[in-house]
Structure formats: C-alpha cells, structure tokens
Amino acid sequence: QPQPQAYQQPGLVTEWVMHRTPDGQPYYHNERTNQTAWNLPPGVPCRDATAPTNQGSHETAWQYQQQAADPTAGMADDPFAELRQKEEELRQQREHWAQWYQQYYQWYAQEAA
C-alpha cells in the first residue's frame, strides 16, 4: 500500500492523523471533526501519530485524555456532544457485531468443511 506523501514530513500540521490497530492495520482520524476512516480521503495530507507534533497537538491530546477520564466534560460547550457520544456507542456496537460475525463465519465454515 503506498504511503501518503505527508508521512515524509514529520512536523506537518494537518487535521488527519494515521494510527494503527493492534494488528498493525492503518486507519485515519480527523482531529477537528473526530471522523475516523480506513482510507484517507484523496489528496488530503496526514501525519503519523508517532511523529513529533507541535504544542497545539499536545493540548488536543490533553483534551482527549481529559474527555476519556470524564466523557461528560465539555458537553455544555458542544451542542452536538450527545450525538457524537451516541455515534461512538453505535460505532462500538458495529465493531462488536462485526467481530462476532467474523467468529461465527469462521466457525460455520469449519463446521461445513
């Protein structure tokens, strides 16, 4: 898989950040919109999450840590916070069922063989 050109620029300031799943598969997260995608939108630069960042990104990381500690923090400032929270719950539910279905399919294929 070709790597986006932005990976060659560790100090690049961009909204899209590449992360990796525990098994090493890359996925992309937009820090401004909180959107996550398996494929980077065409022509959009991104940076590696492990690359050095500027101070603004450190503040963002701190905010994410604070939000993880208290998910209701900042809801008063964000009129869409409840929708984002519900969207995250639905994403987790989809991921759970996708994993379940994959295990079921593997079991079924093994039983049919």
Side-chain angles (χ1 to χ4, degrees):
Q1 175 178 353
Q3 296 293 321
Q5 184 177 355
Y7 292 132
Q8 299 168 1
Q9 302 171 5
L12 180 69
V13 176
T14 179
E15 297 171 350
W16 287 94
V17 181
M18 184 194 73
H19 297 273
R20 292 199 179 270
T21 61
D23 62 343
Q25 184 176 2
Y27 67 96
Y28 304 92
H29 178 255
N30 185 311
E31 293 181 329
R32 183 178 59 82
T33 64
N34 208 24
Q35 177 184 3
T36 302
W38 289 111
N39 298 314
L40 186 64
V44 175
C46 72
R47 63 179 169 80
D48 193 332
T50 60
T53 59
N54 59 17
Q55 180 63 29
S57 296
H58 289 297
E59 291 173 5
T60 303
W62 180 81
Q63 290 170 349
Y64 284 142
Q65 290 174 353
Q66 293 300 315
Q67 187 175 7
D70 182 10
T72 60
M75 282 189 165
D77 299 337
D78 184 3
F80 300 105
E82 289 181 33
L83 291 174
R84 286 189 179 88
Q85 185 176 7
K86 182 67 175 174
E87 185 177 49
E88 177 61 20
E89 290 171 8
L90 292 173
R91 184 197 64 77
Q92 290 176 357
Q93 188 178 31
R94 279 192 308 271
E95 183 177 316
H96 167 77
W97 285 110
Q99 291 174 356
W100 178 89
Y101 180 76
Q102 183 180 21
Q103 290 174 352
Y104 171 78
Y105 179 79
Q106 290 172 352
W107 171 84
Y108 186 82
Q110 187 178 20
E111 291 293 315

